[in-house]
Amino acid sequence: MTEHQQFLAERDKIDFFIQKGFRIQSVNEHLDGATVEFVHPNGDVTEVLLISNANARKYFSSLLIKQNPIGK
Amino acid sequence: MADLRINLAGIKSPNPFWLASAPPTNSGYQVQRAFEAGWGGAVWKTLGDPILNTSSRFAAISFNGQRVAGFNNIELITDRPLDVNLKEIYETKKKFPNHAIVASLMVEPKQEKWHEIVKRVEDVGVDGLELNFGCPHGMAERGMGSASGQVPALVEKQTLWVKEVAKTPVIVKLTPNITDITATAEAACNGGADAISMINTINSLMGVDLDTWNTIPHVAGKGAHGGYCGPAVKPIALNMVAECARHSQINVPISGIGGISNWRDAVEFMLMGATGVQICTAAMHHGFRIVEDMIEGLNHYLDGKGIAAVSDIIGKSVPKYSDWGNLDLNYNIVAKINTDVCINCNKCYIACEDTSHQCIEMLSDASGKNYLRVWEEDCVGCNLCAIVCPVDGAIEMIEVPNEMPPMTWNERQAVINAVITSKVDTTK
């Protein structure tokens, strides 16, 4: 799988939860990339993704800024 | 014709091109010839207790046919008595009253030594002083030059001593042989410097002779580190000028030095905050008359841009220089190969395949002719293919629109840290 295909695959997983109304609840960065925790607004469902691709990590970060424009 | 005059902390000159303190400014004969050729100013070869030099002093690196890509010297400050130099400075200033003559000075880090030389030098009518805290060889072993210039407290103290008696503007010349040049630049400002200049030369050993195993250069079979300068050091010098120019606590004019070889280099230094430039290696390589091309080129550049005075460009690029953390992570460029111009040498393919991101592919068209194609999705915009390409216009780096808004590393970390510490409000 090329880097770009890996990006598309991880972006699709992120978009899947975002389109269902999930929001990013927490981000834990580590040696293998970032573990991103999503939570549904009703608060009773959480999902976790391991995002390792660099462009995908930029992608969820941009969504997080869009979601909570801290520091802007 | 644009107005090329500059005013560096009160030191005025007819153009921004000064000869740096070095062999070209060793004597009145040389400086007068330089002024006749068109140089706007000269920083006299460093005055102090006259020294003794070695024979065999210079060495240069030629790279792929370019002579003097880098230059190295182990020559020390003036070996002539102070009164001889002062007499020639006086005569030169009398002949060229509108040109800038700055005296470079270096003495032991003692208050009375600085007071003595400042008074004697100013008596002959110099336009300013430049304190040499940068010379990396010989003098540094005696506690002067870069040995002083690497210690911020010594820079500040000696600048203060000079300012106690100086009547003309004081420029502090900084060494690049230090981790963070803004530390010593700030110390110079704290000591009352009217301006700073940078860079002096970089510690260097030019090479080792493979037959004799002697250093290059060597003195009777022994070598010592020298000071490196010339075109190869320009990026290092330009960064140091820019770092000082954008520093909030460094608010004095900058005289830019380091590998400036033509008017284009001079413009780059001025855009990055230098009020004027000092040049040595290019003059040593090509002679004083290179200043004619510099003046003509600078005039054409300014006229072409409709800029009336060279002083109008000072610092214009400084706001564009920042920390890596402020760069937009969502900005994307990709390589585009112009197959009409490409000569199929495959340099880009090999560079990308072996050492970058494997996004250039060799293909054949219907007639069996080879061509190269970039997989834009995998191209990270590193520029390597365009850098190694031997044909102008064969590879362009083009911007790719990004649907995501600009995002810097600092902005990203701020929002991620906020999530980690307080959990983002998911109900918004």
Side-chain angles (χ1 to χ4, degrees):
Chain A
M1 187 184 281
T2 67
E3 289 278 325
H4 184 64
Q5 287 168 333
Q6 190 186 3
F7 163 64
L8 294 178
E10 292 191 350
R11 187 190 65 178
D12 286 349
K13 288 180 189 170
I14 295 167
D15 283 346
F16 176 78
F17 291 122
I18 295 296
Q19 283 160 14
K20 287 194 158 198
F22 282 76
R23 297 173 65 84
I24 297 170
Q25 165 77 359
S26 71
V27 175
N28 177 27
E29 297 196 279
H30 45 71
L31 290 173
D32 295 314
T35 302
V36 185
E37 185 184 26
F38 296 83
V39 64
H40 199 269
N42 64 22
D44 59 357
V45 184
T46 59
E47 298 285 352
V48 173
L49 288 177
L50 171 63
I51 305 298
S52 54
N53 176 270
N55 280 338
R57 286 185 286 114
K58 286 183 185 178
Y59 182 70
F60 81 69
S61 308
S62 297
L63 294 179
L64 187 57
I65 286 176
K66 212 188 274 184
Q67 180 182 301
N68 264 53
I70 294 165
K72 286 273 188 181
Chain B
M1 298 279 275
D3 181 357
L4 299 188
R5 291 174 299 174
I6 63 160
N7 182 339
L8 184 130
I11 305 171
K12 295 174 183 170
S13 70
N15 65 56
F17 302 111
W18 294 7
L19 283 172
S21 171
T25 59
N26 186 50
S27 66
Y29 169 76
Q30 292 167 284
V31 173
Q32 289 173 32
R33 286 190 64 236
F35 287 165
E36 282 163 7
W39 292 87
V43 184
W44 209 273
K45 187 169 170 71
T46 303
L47 308 174
D49 291 340
I51 55 75
L52 299 173
N53 267 315
T54 59
S55 176
S56 187
R57 303 178 191 180
F58 304 148
I61 282 179
S62 298
F63 190 79
N64 272 356
Q66 178 178 343
R67 304 286 293 176
V68 197
F71 190 85
N72 158 289
N73 86 90
I74 56 169
E75 183 172 295
L76 305 185
I77 65 171
T78 186
D79 59 4
R80 306 189 313 151
L82 183 61
D83 60 350
V84 173
N85 277 301
L86 294 184
K87 186 168 172 282
E88 293 177 16
I89 289 173
Y90 175 78
E91 287 165 356
T92 306
K93 189 66 199 169
K94 208 169 163 186
K95 279 189 186 172
F96 296 90
N98 298 321
H99 289 64
I101 298 182
V102 174
S104 173
L105 307 178
M106 183 195 290
V107 291
E108 293 168 60
K110 293 177 180 168
Q111 186 181 30
E112 64 275 16
K113 284 279 193 182
W114 281 110
H115 283 189
E116 180 194 5
I117 197 166
V118 167
K119 287 173 186 170
R120 287 186 65 183
V121 167
E122 288 196 329
D123 279 348
V124 296
V126 295
D127 298 295
L129 309 171
E130 184 180 78
L131 314 186
N132 182 343
F133 295 148
C135 187
H137 49 274
M139 307 309 288
E141 294 167 21
R142 306 168 200 178
M144 293 178 269
S146 65
S148 277
Q150 289 164 337
V151 183
L154 274 177
V155 170
E156 181 175 342
K157 186 179 281 185
Q158 291 179 94
T159 307
L160 266 169
W161 288 338
V162 170
K163 287 295 290 180
E164 285 169 352
V165 291
K167 295 170 185 157
T168 61
V170 174
I171 306 166
V172 173
K173 185 170 181 178
L174 301 171
T175 176
N177 299 306
I178 186 167
T179 307
D180 178 6
I181 201 166
T182 64
T184 44
E186 201 175 341
C189 293
N190 292 340
D194 300 293
I196 50 178
S197 57
M198 68 199 73
I199 59 172
N200 206 304
T201 52
I202 301 170
N203 288 346
S204 59
L205 169 57
M206 292 302 266
V208 179
D209 186 295
L210 296 186
D211 292 322
T212 64
W213 300 356
N214 280 331
T215 62
I216 303 171
H218 73 90
V219 178
K222 276 196 177 173
H225 81 264
Y228 195 50
C229 54
V233 311
K234 190 195 116 186
I236 298 167
L238 190 58
N239 170 61
M240 289 185 171
V241 166
E243 289 295 348
C244 288
R246 74 187 182 95
H247 193 286
S248 62
Q249 300 302 309
I250 301 168
N251 296 304
V252 295
I254 299 169
S255 181
I257 313 167
I260 297 158
S261 305
N262 52 48
W263 68 268
R264 288 183 179 83
D265 296 337
V267 168
E268 289 180 47
F269 273 76
M270 294 185 78
L271 287 170
M272 271 302 170
T275 296
V277 295
Q278 298 183 35
I279 293 161
C280 172
T281 307
M284 292 180 78
H285 189 185
H286 301 295
F288 288 147
R289 290 192 63 180
I290 56 160
V291 76
E292 293 171 10
D293 287 344
M294 292 179 179
I295 292 169
E296 189 182 346
L298 181 58
N299 254 318
H300 282 155
Y301 172 77
L302 295 171
D303 289 348
K305 287 203 162 288
I307 297 169
V310 71
S311 56
D312 292 342
I313 69 170
I314 297 168
K316 286 292 187 281
S317 292
V318 174
K320 293 172 178 280
Y321 202 54
S322 185
D323 295 327
W324 189 93
N326 294 325
L327 306 182
D328 179 9
L329 294 169
N330 283 335
Y331 174 78
N332 283 329
I333 57 171
V334 296
K336 183 171 179 284
I337 296 174
N338 183 350
T339 51
D340 295 337
V341 179
C342 174
I343 59 172
N344 281 330
C345 70
N346 294 336
K347 290 283 287 183
C348 62
Y349 169 76
I350 293 164
C352 187
E353 193 70 12
D354 288 358
T355 65
S356 195
H357 286 78
Q358 301 81 48
C359 63
I360 298 179
E361 190 176 21
M362 249 189 302
L363 301 169
S364 297
D365 64 16
S367 65
K369 189 185 165 199
N370 288 339
Y371 67 96
L372 295 159
R373 178 191 154 163
V374 176
W375 291 104
E376 294 186 3
E377 300 81 8
D378 284 316
C379 177
V380 300
C382 71
N383 295 329
L384 181 62
C385 55
I387 289 168
V388 301
C389 178
V391 181
D392 285 343
I395 300 180
E396 278 178 275
M397 302 303 299
I398 54 170
E399 286 187 23
V400 179
N402 192 328
E403 62 191 30
M404 303 308 286
M407 173 188 69
T408 70
W409 170 259
N410 290 337
E411 290 166 345
R412 176 186 189 271
Q413 294 316 106
V415 75
I416 287 178
N417 288 338
V419 168
I420 290 168
T421 54
S422 63
K423 299 272 183 182
V424 170
D425 180 357
T426 56
T427 61
K428 276 185 186 170

